[in-house]
Amino acid sequence: QPKGESAKMKITALGLAVLTILVVTALLPTAIAQEVPTHVVISEVQIATNEFVELYNPTNSAINMTDWHWCYFSDGRDWNNSHRDKVFPTGAIIQAHGFYLIGLKGFPEPSSDWQVYNSTQLADSGSVGIFPWDPDTKTAEEAKAGRIDAVG
């Protein structure tokens, strides 16, 4: 074979190999990267019987929640018009990668980190939020933008 033909065959073979790798890579399942929050999140809420709100700290550091606000907003309320508003107690710490359980109606008191209420607090509709300050002292937009997390 002439030298030019051999070089063309090598380039064609290399091109086919690269194309094959690209096609196979494109067809392989890919993992969807999820951003890990850098703040406390509401990880679970249970209503009706043994009501509770569970918080999770996805960070690598303990977080002091002293003086934060836990709020319940019944359906249709603005973020600066809470139906219930309780201030986290002094020493409310959530450890790195740890959970913090807020007990409500019917929840066994020794099992929770903080027993907020012993009566029905949550409805089938509405929202629960945690704030670094009292949201009722802000505009609805400020409260919504400044919340640490909310569900509902």
Side-chain angles (χ1 to χ4, degrees), residues 1-37:
Q1 285 182 338
K3 279 187 174 182
E5 292 275 327
S6 177
K8 283 183 183 177
M9 288 180 67
K10 286 180 184 178
I11 291 173
T12 302
L14 179 61
L16 284 174
V18 168
L19 182 62
T20 302
I21 291 171
L22 289 174
V23 169
V24 169
T25 303
L27 295 176
L28 289 175
T30 56
I32 298 173
Q34 290 184 333
E35 190 173 316
V36 176

Side-chain angles (χ1 to χ4, degrees), residues 18-77:
V18 168
L19 182 62
T20 302
I21 291 171
L22 289 174
V23 169
V24 169
T25 303
L27 295 176
L28 289 175
T30 56
I32 298 173
Q34 290 184 333
E35 190 173 316
V36 176
T38 58
H39 56 81
V40 172
V41 295
I42 298 171
S43 55
E44 188 173 354
V45 176
Q46 179 169 306
I47 62 171
T49 305
N50 297 334
E51 291 181 343
F52 67 86
V53 176
E54 179 186 76
L55 307 180
Y56 176 66
N57 177 3
T59 73
N60 292 325
S61 301
I63 295 176
N64 186 346
M65 301 180 294
T66 299
D67 294 330
W68 284 12
H69 287 250
W70 174 89
C71 299
Y72 169 70
F73 301 85
S74 54
D75 196 29
R77 285 186 178 251

